[in-house]
Amino acid sequence: MLVTKTYSENSEINLRLLAFDVTRNELVAVARAVVAARADTTDNDPATAEGQLAYIYGTRATRALWRTKKWLLHRQENIEAVSHPKKALRVIYQSVDLAASKTYRPRPISGKGSGSDRVISDAQGSLFTEEELAGDAKIKLGKIDSGVWYYCVSVSGDDVRAELSLPSGISEGNFEDFIERIFVIREGEWPALVGKYDADDSSSAVSFEPVVTRKK
């Protein structure tokens, strides 16, 4: 049985992200792109426009960030990702209902299909032995720097949260459980994080194509 490792304190979050070649403020910038994209809708758009734009710009911003770190464009089973040039490590953008909550596991806004199930099973399956997976004992893991990770962003009004997490698998279209969760934007942090990012860390910003917000 897996025991989810959660990083939720500032010092451990920043330290853990070093393995992914990114900073917390850079990931905040990706969330900013998602929020801006969701806002770029009008009453004339299809009902699904907000979610579609969030996925498109979230994926674009995720790739733009990691490709500045020399990561590679990756596409498998129609799943859009970015991959480490040397390690078996991938990151995929995902819009979820609620991220960065210790009492709740994120659920994808759009259900995951069989392709996602196969991709995660192939990558995460190599992290454990058959004996570990079949046993009842709790499996405590060290830091894992491989596998398929998801940058999960949730937006509910002014409540914006995000986490970079490693799911253990897919069950009925949802993440089955998580092996590791790195909380990037926690409850109530969004206004302060965005303000701090604007004031202190513009030098590390990734250049994303701007989304122009139109008044309804």
Side-chain angles (χ1 to χ4, degrees):
M1 181 174 61
L2 297 177
V3 177
T4 303
K5 174 62 177 177
T6 301
Y7 297 85
S8 60
E9 301 300 325
N10 290 337
S11 58
E12 61 181 6
I13 293 169
N14 295 327
L15 187 61
R16 185 66 182 99
L17 288 175
L18 291 176
F20 298 89
D21 302 326
V22 293
T23 67
R24 192 180 184 191
N25 282 343
E26 287 173 328
L27 292 178
V28 170
V30 174
R32 282 161 54 94
V34 172
V35 172
R38 287 172 57 93
D40 188 33
T41 58
T42 72
D43 292 338
N44 295 321
D45 291 327
T48 58
E50 195 173 79
Q52 289 175 342
L53 287 173
Y55 169 71
I56 291 169
Y57 280 87
T59 298
R60 179 184 297 183
T62 297
R63 282 174 158 171
L65 169 58
W66 265 283
R67 292 182 76 186
T68 65
K69 318 293 182 178
K70 309 302 181 184
W71 287 42
L72 307 173
L73 195 70
H74 191 280
R75 182 176 293 117
Q76 179 184 353
E77 302 247 15
N78 294 320
I79 298 170
E80 308 291 342
V82 64
S83 64
H84 192 280
K86 297 180 180 179
K87 296 187 288 188
L89 176 61
R90 276 173 276 169
V91 176
I92 299 168
Y93 171 79
Q94 180 66 56
S95 294
V96 298
D97 59 348
L98 182 63
S101 169
K102 289 184 177 180
T103 60
Y104 186 83
R105 292 197 299 267
R107 296 168 65 92
I109 296 298
S110 298
K112 313 305 293 178
S114 58
S116 295
D117 190 7
R118 287 191 293 272
V119 165
I120 293 176
S121 295
D122 290 346
Q124 267 71 306
S126 62
L127 300 176
F128 315 102
T129 65
E130 292 184 4
E131 290 76 13
E132 287 175 327
L133 291 175
D136 293 327
K138 292 183 178 180
I139 304 171
K140 294 185 179 180
L141 303 169
K143 295 177 181 178
I144 298 175
D145 298 332
S146 61
V148 175
W149 292 68
Y150 283 79
Y151 184 47
C152 302
V153 177
S154 65
V155 181
S156 178
D158 293 331
D159 184 16
V160 179
R161 308 189 201 184
E163 63 180 80
L164 180 62
S165 296
L166 179 68
S168 60
I170 299 292
S171 177
E172 297 182 351
N174 293 308
F175 295 126
E176 192 171 69
D177 206 338
F178 288 90
I179 300 166
E180 275 197 50
R181 301 175 68 188
I182 308 169
F183 289 2
V184 176
I185 306 174
R186 297 160 297 194
E187 181 180 6
E189 288 188 309
W190 180 243
L193 271 180
V194 171
K196 182 177 185 299
Y197 172 86
D198 288 337
D200 299 340
D201 203 36
S202 59
S203 62
S204 67
V206 178
S207 295
F208 304 126
E209 183 176 325
V211 179
V212 178
T213 301
R214 301 189 298 272
K215 292 184 179 180
K216 295 183 179 181

